[in-house]
Amino acid sequence: MGIFNSKKKNQFLAGNGEIQKTLHKNLEFTATEQYKLIRTNLDFTLPEDEKCPVIGITSAMRGGGKSTTAVNLSYVLAEKGSKVLLVDADLRIPSIAKKLEIESTPGLADLLRGKGAALSEFRSHLLDNWYVLPSGDIPPNPSELLGSVRMKSILEQLKEMFDYIIVDLPPVNLVSDAISISKYITGMIVVVREDHTEKKELDRCFRQLRMSNVNIIGCVINDAKTGKGSYGRYRRYRYYKYYKYYQTYQSSTQKGDKK
Ligand SMILES: Nc1ncnc2c1ncn2[C@@H]1O[C@H](COP(=O)(O)OP(=O)(O)OP(=O)(O)O)[C@@H](O)[C@H]1O
Ligand SMILES: [Mg+2]
C-alpha cells in the first residue's frame, strides 16, 4: 500500500488565525502540567512490550473535550521527544484540522479509500516529530471503514513509523465507530467533562466498552471546576488512572449491572 509514496512539500499549516486557548502552545502552565502528568501515567498503564501503543480518545456524548485532549496529549508526548501521530478518526464531525488550522485533506478517509499521501504532508510545523493525520473527506460509512481490515493494515504500517498513535474518536453512546476500531486500539481513554457528562450516560458508555472488551486505560476529567483556596486552579485539568476512578465507578453501579 503506497501510503507515504509522494515527495510533496509540507503544506501542513494553512490557517493564520489564533489557535484556541485550550490547545497545546496556548495552554496555561497548570493545564500543561496536567497533560504532562497524563503522559507520565501512560507509562504505567500501557503494556511494556507494546512498541507503538495506539491510544483511542473517546467519551460518552459529544463535546466532552476528546479532541482537545487528543491534541494536547499528542503534543506533550511529541514535546518529550517521541515520534507521535495524531489521527482524526471522528469521520462524522471531524475537528482536528479546524482546531489546528490545517487542511482537512488528505487524511484518514483518503488512506482508507486507498489513496496515497506523503508522510511529510502530515508533519506539523510546530514540532518535527509531531504528525497530524486529519480526517480527509467525510465518507458515507465511517463505522465500517474504521473496523475494516484496511484500517488494521494502515495502523500496522503506521505503528512501524511512530512511537505513539493518538486516535480522536466519536462518542461511544451515539455511534458505533469507537467500538468498531477498538479491536485495533491498545488502550482507550474516556474523557469526562465535569458538569457536562451525565452519570447515566457515563454508565452506558462504560457498559458498551466493557461488553466489547475494550481496554480502558484511564479517564481524563476535563474542565473540572476550580475549588476554593489557593490550589483550586491547579485542578482545572485532572487525570485519574483507570483503576482508581473506575473501581469507584464500578462499586457504585455494581447492583443490577450485567458483566
Ligand atoms: N478544559 C476546557 N476548558 C475550556 N474549554 C474547553 C475545555 N475543553 C474543551 N473545551 C472547549 O469545548 C469545546 C468542545 O471541545 P472538544 O472539541 O475538544 O470536544 P469533543 O469531545 O471533541 O467534541 P465532539 O464530540 O463534538 O467531537 C471546544 O470549543 C473546546 O475548545
Ligand atoms: Mg471532537
Side-chain angles (χ1 to χ4, degrees):
M1 182 174 58
I3 301 185
F4 305 124
N5 55 2
S6 146
K7 293 260 187 305
K8 267 194 219 163
K9 263 219 156 262
N10 175 24
Q11 300 165 341
F12 198 54
L13 277 149
N16 53 9
E18 194 198 347
I19 292 177
Q20 293 172 43
K21 296 224 175 328
T22 47
L23 297 175
H24 52 92
K25 286 227 136 174
N26 296 322
L27 282 176
E28 59 187 74
F29 170 76
T30 49
T32 308
E33 287 307 303
Q34 293 305 308
Y35 281 109
K36 287 182 181 170
L37 195 59
I38 300 174
R39 180 180 68 192
T40 307
N41 286 342
L42 278 181
D43 290 341
F44 296 103
T45 47
L46 289 167
E48 270 177 38
D49 54 352
E50 188 74 44
K51 191 201 146 284
C52 170
V54 181
I55 301 162
I57 313 280
T58 192
S59 65
M61 302 299 284
R62 285 247 166 243
K66 296 178 292 299
S67 305
T68 304
T69 303
V71 169
N72 291 331
L73 180 57
S74 61
Y75 181 79
V76 293
L77 282 166
E79 212 180 23
K80 205 184 165 196
S82 301
K83 192 174 174 191
V84 183
L85 176 67
L86 167 64
V87 181
D88 191 347
D90 189 339
L91 299 179
R92 293 169 195 264
I93 311 182
S95 68
I96 298 285
K98 195 169 168 209
K99 282 187 197 306
L100 297 180
E101 300 176 342
I102 58 174
E103 298 292 348
S104 61
T105 55
L108 177 62
D110 304 294
L111 297 187
L112 285 164
R113 282 194 206 101
K115 292 185 187 162
L119 181 58
S120 62
E121 281 187 87
F122 306 125
R123 190 195 291 264
S124 160
H125 86 311
L126 289 173
L127 292 171
D128 272 355
N129 50 332
W130 188 36
Y131 292 73
V132 185
L133 177 61
S135 61
D137 287 328
I138 295 177
N141 53 344
S143 186
E144 287 74 16
L145 286 178
L146 292 173
S148 66
V149 177
R150 183 149 191 97
M151 183 75 235
K152 183 183 182 195
S153 142
I154 288 171
L155 280 175
E156 270 167 9
Q157 292 182 51
L158 292 171
K159 280 167 84 168
E160 295 298 317
M161 302 169 201
F162 291 94
D163 298 318
Y164 290 93
I165 299 176
I166 307 292
V167 186
D168 183 29
L169 292 164
V172 169
N173 293 3
L174 297 185
V175 286
S176 57
D177 306 13
I179 301 288
S180 291
I181 198 177
S182 66
K183 53 193 174 215
Y184 310 135
I185 293 228
T186 316
M188 193 75 87
I189 289 178
V190 178
V191 178
V192 179
R193 194 164 185 174
E194 202 171 301
D195 291 350
H196 181 94
T197 314
E198 287 188 24
K199 186 176 176 303
K200 65 171 194 278
E201 299 293 358
L202 193 58
D203 191 0
R204 205 173 130 213
C205 168
F206 277 119
R207 217 170 28 238
Q208 300 253 28
L209 292 169
R210 276 217 317 264
M211 274 186 332
S212 309
N213 289 321
V214 177
N215 177 27
I216 308 169
I217 53 170
C219 279
V220 169
I221 314 295
N222 179 34
D223 205 8
K225 294 293 159 274
T226 51
K228 285 184 182 149
S230 55
Y231 292 103
R233 69 197 188 96
Y234 286 87
R235 296 172 56 223
R236 191 162 173 79
Y237 291 79
R238 294 185 297 175
Y239 173 77
Y240 290 115
K241 274 165 74 179
Y242 166 62
Y243 64 83
K244 265 192 191 170
Y245 176 82
Y246 191 51
Q247 275 174 6
T248 317
Y249 167 81
Q250 257 186 327
S251 56
S252 68
T253 55
Q254 234 162 15
K255 229 182 168 186
D257 189 15
K258 282 181 200 158
K259 256 205 144 180

